[in-house]
C-alpha cells in the first residue's frame, strides 16, 4: 500500500521538502483546495508552505494520523486531551502557538480547536494575576493608578 | 478602540522587533486575534479568566477588550464579588454584540450601571433580570422598545415592575417565547389579559405567586398562547378548575404544569392532563382535597 499511495510534495519555510500521503493532506483544507486546482494536481508539483516550519509540519502530520478522516464529532475537551497524548513534546508554550498558527494557515479545524482549547485550559488553571503573567511571560506594565484593575 | 485597530497596534509593535526568525519568540498575542484568538480561545474563557488576563499587561488589556467587544453572552447571575460594579462598567464600555444577558440576583445592579450597556446592545435575545431589586422600569424601557429580537425575558421578584411596563411590552414585544413575572405583585388582571392576547408564540410561562392571575387570565392564555409547553402557576390562589380546563383544551402542546398551593384546582381538571402524560408537580394522591367549587361540599368531607 505504501508504494502505491499518492504522495503530495510540500516545501516548508525552512526549504525542506516533505512527501506526505494524500489522504493526510486532505484533512488540511488549504491543501485540499489547492489540489482541486489543475495546476497543483500534478504529482510533480511542489506546494509551498511559507508559514509552516518543518518541525510544525511533522507535528501536523502526526495529528492527522491520530485524528483520522472520520473523527469529526469530538468535542473541544476531547480534542485537547488527544493533542496532549499525541504530541507530548508540546509542553513548551511557544510550540503550541506555532502549531496554532500552522493549524490556522492549513485550515485544520480539529487541530485549531485542540490547540485553542489547550491554551484556554491553561488560562483557566491560573488562579492569580501572577500565574497569568508567568504563563505567558508577560511583564505587567499596567500602572498602579489603573482603577479598573484586577477583578478577583 | 475597535478590534482591528487594537490588533494592528500590536502588529506595529512587533514590526520593530528583530526579524531574525531564530531569535523571535512567538507569544500568544502574536497569533491572529480576529481569526483565531477571539473566536477560538476567548470564547472558552470565563469572564473571570478574561479579567485576570486583562490585568496582566497593556497588550492583554487591549486583547481582552477586543474580545469583550464580540462576546455574545454575559453571565453574571449570582455574582456579587468585590469590584463587580467596576468590572460591569468595563463590560458596558466594551461589549457591542451581547445577545444573552444573565444578571439574576445581581442586587448591586442599578439603572445607572445597566443603561450604558443597553445603549450599545440592541440585539439582545435573552434577558434575565430575576431578583434585580435595585433597577427600575427605566432600565426596562430600552429593552422593551429597542430589542426587536428579544425572545426570553425573566423578571421574577421584580417588585418594581408596573402595569405600565407590561403595557409597553404588549405594544412592542409580541415574539416572546419565554416569560417570567413570578412574584410580581403590582401587575393587574386586566393588563395581563390584554398582554396574553398578543403573545402567540409563548412556550414557557411563569406566573407563580402572582395574585392577579385569575381564570379569566388563563382563558386568554388558552385562547391565544397555543404553543405553550410549560406553565408555572404555583401559589396562584385565585385560579380554579375552569381556568385549568381552558388551558387543557387549547394548549395541546403542554408538557408540564406546576400547580401546588392552588387549592381550587382539583383532580377534575388535572385528571385529563395526567392521562396526557403531562408532568404535574402535585401528586395524584391529593384526590380528596376540599373542593371549594363544589356546590355540595358534604360529598367531599373526609371522615
Amino acid at each position: 500500500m505504501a508504494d502505491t499511495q499518492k504522495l503530495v510534495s510540500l516545501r516548508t519555510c525552512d526549504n525542506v521538502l516533505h512527501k506526505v500521503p494524500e489522504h493526510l493532506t486532505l484533512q488540511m483544507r488549504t491543501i485540499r483546495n489547492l489540489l482541486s486546482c489543475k495546476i497543483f494536481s500534478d504529482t510533480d508539483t511542489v506546494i509551498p508552505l511559507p508559514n509552516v516550519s518543518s518541525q510544525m509540519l511533522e507535528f501536523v502530520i502526526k495529528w492527522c494520523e491520530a485524528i483520522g478522516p472520520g473523527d469529526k464529532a469530538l468535542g473541544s475537551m476531547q480534542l485537547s486531551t488527544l493533542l496532549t497524548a499525541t504530541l507530548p513534546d508540546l509542553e513548551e508554550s511557544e510550540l503550541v502557538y506555532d502549531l496554532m498558527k500552522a493549524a490556522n494557515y492549513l485550515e485544520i479545524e480539529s487541530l485549531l480547536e485542540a490547540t485553542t482549547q489547550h491554551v484556554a485550559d491553561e488560562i483557566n488553571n491560573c488562579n492569580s494575576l501572577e500565574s497569568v503573567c508567568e504563563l505567558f511571560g508577560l511583564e505587567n506594565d499596567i500602572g498602579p493608578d489603573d482603577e479598573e484593575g484586577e477583578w478577583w | 478602540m475597535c478590534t482591528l485597530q487594537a490588533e494592528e497596534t500590536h502588529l506595529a509593535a512587533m514590526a520593530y522587533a528583530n526579524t531574525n526568525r531564530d531569535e523571535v519568540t512567538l507569544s500568544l498575542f502574536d497569533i491572529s486575534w480576529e481569526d483565531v484568538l477571539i473566536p477560538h480561545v476567548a470564547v472558552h474563557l470565563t469572564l473571570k479568566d478574561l479579567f485576570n488576563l486583562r490585568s496582566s499587561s497593556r497588550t492583554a488589556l487591549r486583547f481582552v477588550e477586543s474580545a469583550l467587544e464580540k462576546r455574545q453572552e454575559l453571565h453574571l447571575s449570582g455574582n456579587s464579588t468585590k469590584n463587580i460594579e467596576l468590572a460591569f462598567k468595563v463590560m458596558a464600555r466594551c461589549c457591542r454584540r451581547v445577545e444573552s444577558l444573565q444578571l439574576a440576583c445581581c442586587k448591586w445592579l442599578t439603572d445607572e450601571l445597566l443603561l450604558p450597556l443597553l445603549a450599545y446592545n440592541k440585539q439582545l435575545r435573552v434577558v434575565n433580570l430575576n431578583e434585580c431589586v435595585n433597577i427600575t422600569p427605566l432600565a426596562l424601557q430600552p429593552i422593551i422598545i429597542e430589542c426587536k429580537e428579544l425572545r426570553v425575558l425573566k423578571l421574577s421578584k421584580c417588585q418594581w415592575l408596573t402595569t405600565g411596563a407590561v403595557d409597553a411590552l404588549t405594544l412592542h414585544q409580541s415574539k416572546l417565547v419565554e416569560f417570567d413575572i413570578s412574584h410580581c405583585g403590582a401587575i393587574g388582571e386586566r393588563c395581563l389579559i390584554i398582554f396574553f392576547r398578543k403573545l402567540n408564540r409563548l412556550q414557557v410561562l411563569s406566573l407563580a405567586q402572582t395574585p392577579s392571575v385569575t381564570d379569566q387570565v388563563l382563558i386568554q392564555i388558552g385562547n391565544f398562547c397555543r404553543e405553550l409547553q410549560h406553565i408555572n402557576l404555583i401559589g396562584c390562589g385565585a385560579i380554579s378548575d375552569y381556568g385549568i380546563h381552558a388551558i387543557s383544551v387549547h394548549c395541546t402542546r403542554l408538557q408540564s404544569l406546576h400547580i401546588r398551593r392552588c387549592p381550587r384546582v382539583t383532580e377534575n381538571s388535572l385528571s385529563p392532563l395526567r392521562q396526557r402524560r403531562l408532568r404535574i408537580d402535585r401528586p395524584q394522591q391529593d384526590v380528596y382535597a376540599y373542593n371549594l367549587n363544589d356546590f355540595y361540599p358534604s360529598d367531599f368531607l373526609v371522615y
Side-chain angles (χ1 to χ4, degrees):
Chain A
M1 189 184 78
D3 291 334
T4 56
Q5 68 179 341
K6 189 177 173 186
L7 297 175
V8 177
S9 299
L10 305 174
R11 189 181 298 281
T12 53
C13 64
D14 41 4
N15 215 28
V16 177
L17 185 68
H18 299 260
K19 299 251 184 202
V20 181
E22 188 186 37
H23 71 275
L24 294 180
T25 63
L26 292 178
Q27 291 185 45
M28 311 170 200
R29 193 184 301 176
T30 304
I31 308 296
R32 193 168 73 230
N33 289 344
L34 285 172
L35 289 176
S36 65
C37 301
K38 254 189 170 173
I39 190 170
F40 286 106
S41 60
D42 185 352
T43 47
D44 291 337
T45 307
V46 176
I47 297 175
L49 301 179
N51 292 343
V52 183
S53 69
S54 194
Q55 182 189 31
M56 283 303 118
L57 186 61
E58 284 171 12
F59 279 142
V60 166
I61 290 167
K62 270 191 198 171
W63 172 262
C64 293
E65 285 170 343
I67 198 81
D71 287 348
K72 291 190 176 121
L74 295 179
S76 302
M77 301 297 287
Q78 291 165 302
L79 289 169
S80 179
T81 307
L82 184 61
L83 181 73
T84 315
T86 307
L87 304 171
D89 297 339
L90 223 57
E91 287 302 316
E92 300 171 38
S93 297
E94 292 84 14
L95 288 179
V96 171
Y97 304 144
D98 276 318
L99 194 56
M100 200 187 293
K101 269 188 82 170
N104 183 45
Y105 176 72
L106 293 169
E107 294 187 71
I108 308 170
E109 194 182 317
S110 60
L111 183 57
L112 186 62
E113 199 61 35
T115 48
T116 51
Q117 180 69 53
H118 179 85
V119 170
D121 290 342
E122 286 189 321
I123 297 172
N124 188 254
N125 289 336
C126 294
N127 291 320
S128 67
L129 180 57
E130 290 73 24
S131 53
V132 172
C133 291
E134 190 184 328
L135 177 68
F136 296 112
L138 299 170
E139 194 178 316
N140 194 335
D141 52 357
I142 295 181
D145 57 351
D146 183 357
E147 288 184 7
E148 299 166 346
E150 193 175 354
W151 181 2
W152 273 277
Chain B
M1 184 187 283
C2 77
T3 308
L4 197 56
Q5 283 175 320
E7 186 171 1
E8 284 182 356
T9 303
H10 177 70
L11 288 173
M14 273 179 64
Y16 286 102
N18 193 322
T19 54
N20 185 333
R21 202 177 184 287
D22 291 337
E23 294 178 15
V24 171
T25 306
L26 200 63
S27 75
L28 175 68
F29 300 114
D30 297 334
I31 297 169
S32 169
W33 294 13
E34 282 277 339
D35 292 340
V36 180
L37 293 186
I38 290 174
H40 293 282
V41 176
V43 71
H44 293 303
L45 300 178
T46 62
L47 287 171
K48 178 180 175 179
D49 292 334
L50 284 173
F51 273 80
N52 275 343
L53 191 58
R54 182 179 175 275
S55 305
S56 58
S57 72
R58 289 213 173 274
T59 304
L61 186 148
R62 281 195 293 271
F63 166 70
V64 168
E65 295 197 351
S66 300
L68 284 174
E69 183 190 336
K70 292 183 160 50
R71 197 160 178 98
Q72 293 186 333
E73 182 170 327
L74 289 185
H75 199 309
L76 290 167
S77 290
N79 195 312
S80 57
T81 49
K82 187 181 75 162
N83 292 337
I84 186 71
E85 293 94 339
L86 275 176
F88 194 79
K89 282 182 185 172
V90 172
M91 287 182 255
R93 180 166 49 80
C94 297
C95 294
R96 292 289 184 271
R97 306 234 187 129
V98 180
E99 294 185 12
S100 173
L101 189 58
Q102 305 282 351
L103 296 171
C105 301
C106 292
K107 294 181 169 49
W108 47 267
L109 190 66
T110 61
D111 291 352
E112 190 187 17
L113 284 171
L114 184 55
L115 283 169
L117 180 80
L118 298 176
Y120 288 111
N121 290 279
K122 298 180 183 173
Q123 62 287 337
L124 288 167
R125 295 179 60 86
V126 176
V127 174
N128 184 346
L129 298 171
N130 285 347
E131 294 190 61
C132 287
V133 296
N134 288 315
I135 57 175
T136 72
L138 186 67
L140 207 53
Q141 192 179 10
I143 297 173
I144 293 172
I145 295 173
E146 307 280 358
C147 298
K148 302 299 181 191
E149 301 303 316
L150 193 66
R151 296 292 177 269
V152 176
L153 181 59
K154 298 187 180 186
L155 299 167
S156 175
K157 296 188 182 177
C158 292
Q159 302 288 347
W160 46 263
L161 188 65
T162 59
T163 298
V166 178
D167 286 340
L169 270 171
T170 306
L171 203 57
H172 295 281
Q173 295 289 347
S174 60
K175 297 180 187 173
L176 288 177
V177 169
E178 187 171 338
F179 188 53
D180 183 351
I181 50 166
S182 51
H183 300 265
C184 293
I187 311 299
E189 179 196 22
R190 176 130 187 88
C191 159
L192 288 175
I193 286 172
I194 296 170
F195 178 65
F196 288 117
R197 282 183 189 159
K198 294 290 293 292
L199 254 66
N200 307 132
R201 301 188 193 185
L202 207 59
Q203 294 177 17
V204 181
L205 176 64
S206 180
L207 298 169
Q209 302 290 351
T210 306
S212 54
V213 173
T214 61
D215 286 338
Q216 279 304 316
V217 173
L218 295 188
I219 289 168
Q220 295 304 312
I221 292 172
N223 283 338
F224 294 99
C225 305
R226 302 290 177 100
E227 308 288 317
L228 198 64
Q229 296 177 20
H230 307 278
I231 183 166
N232 182 351
L233 297 166
I234 291 174
C236 293
I239 63 172
S240 72
D241 286 332
Y242 299 108
I244 298 300
H245 177 75
I247 290 181
S248 170
V249 165
H250 296 293
C251 299
T252 56
R253 299 183 188 190
L254 203 60
Q255 296 175 27
S256 73
L257 171 66
H258 291 264
I259 204 71
R260 279 177 290 129
R261 299 198 296 278
C262 298
R264 301 180 63 198
V265 175
T266 70
E267 286 303 311
N268 284 343
S269 60
L270 296 181
S271 283
L273 292 171
R274 293 190 202 279
Q275 283 170 18
R276 268 162 57 178
R277 309 279 178 111
L278 233 78
R279 285 192 305 276
I280 300 175
D281 60 341
R282 186 197 294 176
Q284 197 167 358
Q285 290 88 343
D286 200 19
V287 294
Y288 296 111
Y290 181 44
N291 187 353
L292 292 174
N293 294 333
D294 201 334
F295 291 115
Y296 303 99
S298 60
D299 289 353
F300 287 86
L301 286 176
V302 177
Y303 291 98

